[in-house]
Amino acid sequence: MAAERMKNEPKIDAEEVLGGIVEWVSIESPSHDAKSVNKVVDHVEGQFRDLGLKLERIPGRDGFGDILEAKTPAGWSQGEGKGILILAHLDTVHPLGMIEKELKVRREGDSIFGPGIYDMKAGGYIAYYALRHLIRQGKRTKLPVTFLFIPEEEVGSPTSRARIEEAARGHKYALVMEPGRDGDKVVTSRKGVGRFTLSVKGRAAHSGVRHQDGRSAILEMARQIERIEGKTDYARGITCNVGLIRGGTGVNVTPAECVADVDLRVPSPQLAEEMTHWFLNLEPIGKDVELTVEGGMNRPPYQKDAGITALFEKAQAIYREIGKELHDVPLTGGGSDGNFTAALGIPTLDGLGADGKGAHAIDEQIYYSSLVPRTYLCTRLLETLE
């Protein structure tokens, strides 16, 4: 890195942080576009190379981009052994071209807009800046640090999960740079996420001439949908959402096939097991139709335990250094890669990225006023965790 960018600067510069975030956001990276995701991976890889970190890039598969791992070199930290794992993802839900349309990068008062700026390129850049900030002050962390940048978190990390879990087992803490929540809040628990696919086979017939011979797969699916949606139980924290459905071949044909995809959210491993068993044992409601159910838990529940509580209290103490009070979200329905690390018993603190709103929406934005506090928190966690 150029000498002028490595000067001993004691202050976190909000404009500098914002400038780096905008660079990342300006490289659009939809999850299913490996080429586009790898463009931002290239950019991030270069920045960590400039910091002198040890890099490993795992080629993508199944149509997804590469996984990037960056580690502080041996002997760099004050201590050795298990260290700090930082998780961030570089993919977004937004299709290419949004940056020229509804999500032009722009600032309006305290809000800065852009595709993936809140979920979660701002958080990923904040973590990078935090380590760089320590380096240019001549400081070192007490523990080794590993950054793991994921290319397909928005679709459940299907090609990255094994690598995340492998890395987590070798670390003492996990810091997840997903967006902050509702002001000065971080995440200490998340619901588990399940995905199930229902397939119904009926019998096709002419809808006017031989309607009585048909067995409507769509009618059977409609009955199953009512059954599934009826399992939503807010008191127990269970939500079931039939989000996608497709079937039929023509308006004058009794539909012989229908497929539906279901999203399940549960707060505990016990409910995950209960609901998985229920889904996989569903039976047809109508006559002469076949029902097949496939799927399971995509992300295990992430529950606040003693280790997570202690890590959160450490973060609270750091936040008080700048006169602010940090709170946690009791239980959020959204999943993240933190679900994987927490389920392994690794103390995990999530939602450390910039505050804002509009994740996955056309008003996605971060708040400029959150950049310095969030960067300070990340910097001091890296500096003080031991």
Side-chain angles (χ1 to χ4, degrees), residues 96-349:
L96 291 178
M98 289 291 287
I99 202 167
E100 300 296 333
K101 300 174 184 176
E102 295 94 335
L103 270 173
K104 290 182 179 178
V105 177
R106 65 195 188 278
R107 182 172 178 179
E108 297 176 4
D110 193 40
S111 295
I112 301 97
F113 298 81
I117 194 167
Y118 178 56
D119 187 11
M120 59 163 288
K121 287 182 176 177
Y125 183 81
I126 282 171
Y128 158 77
Y129 185 100
L131 183 66
R132 193 185 76 172
H133 189 62
L134 290 174
I135 290 173
R136 66 185 182 182
Q137 292 181 83
K139 296 180 178 180
R140 296 191 176 189
T141 58
K142 294 182 178 180
L143 296 174
V145 180
T146 299
F147 292 78
L148 199 57
F149 288 96
I150 304 305
E152 26 64 295
E153 188 274 344
E154 292 292 3
V155 295
S157 307
T159 66
S160 301
R161 177 175 180 173
R163 185 72 181 208
I164 294 166
E165 292 176 335
E166 178 187 358
R169 292 186 181 97
H171 289 79
K172 189 174 182 180
Y173 305 102
L175 304 180
V176 186
M177 303 307 298
E178 290 281 353
R181 305 295 174 89
D182 306 321
D184 298 313
K185 293 182 180 179
V186 292
V187 174
T188 54
S189 59
R190 291 180 181 271
K191 290 184 179 181
V193 182
R195 294 288 164 81
F196 298 88
T197 298
L198 279 70
S199 302
V200 175
K201 287 187 177 181
R203 183 191 304 154
H206 192 293
S207 64
V209 178
R210 300 298 299 179
H211 188 274
Q212 68 273 19
D213 293 343
R215 298 293 183 267
S216 173
I218 289 179
L219 175 59
E220 172 66 21
M221 189 65 78
R223 291 166 173 164
Q224 294 290 344
I225 289 171
E226 284 196 328
R227 172 191 273 177
I228 291 166
E229 295 277 358
K231 291 295 286 186
T232 291
D233 186 335
Y234 297 126
R236 301 178 74 199
I238 301 169
T239 58
C240 297
N241 183 71
V242 181
L244 292 171
I245 185 168
R246 51 206 178 273
T249 57
V251 70
N252 62 342
V253 181
T254 304
E257 295 185 352
C258 188
V259 178
D261 295 310
V262 186
D263 178 278
L264 167 71
R265 308 284 166 135
V266 289
S268 69
Q270 294 78 17
L271 284 174
E273 183 177 355
E274 174 189 321
M275 290 300 297
T276 297
H277 181 269
W278 183 83
F279 268 102
L280 296 180
N281 286 276
L282 283 171
E283 295 183 350
I285 297 172
K287 294 181 179 180
D288 303 325
V289 294
E290 296 179 14
L291 172 66
T292 303
V293 183
E294 298 177 324
M297 294 303 296
N298 172 268
R299 296 184 188 275
Y302 162 4
Q303 294 185 296
K304 187 178 181 180
D305 58 16
I308 292 172
T309 298
L311 180 56
F312 171 64
E313 290 174 351
K314 172 70 174 177
Q316 280 185 309
I318 289 171
Y319 226 50
R320 291 184 185 122
E321 295 172 359
I322 54 175
K324 299 176 75 67
E325 191 66 29
L326 193 67
H327 303 277
D328 64 337
V329 179
L331 181 66
T332 181
S336 85
D337 289 331
N339 288 66
F340 300 136
T341 60
L344 292 173
I346 312 300
T348 299
L349 193 58

Side-chain angles (χ1 to χ4, degrees), residues 69-92:
E69 183 176 273
K71 292 183 175 182
T72 51
W76 187 86
S77 58
Q78 297 174 26
E80 295 302 324
K82 291 188 174 183
I84 304 167
L85 175 65
I86 295 180
L87 288 173
H89 66 84
L90 296 174
D91 63 315
T92 79

Side-chain angles (χ1 to χ4, degrees), residues 13 20 57 65-66 92 94 124 141 216 257 304 331 359 363 378 383:
D13 185 338
R57 185 160 171 169
D66 300 347
T92 79
H94 301 287
T141 58
S216 173
E257 295 185 352
K304 187 178 181 180
L331 181 66
D363 65 340
C378 187
E383 184 180 6

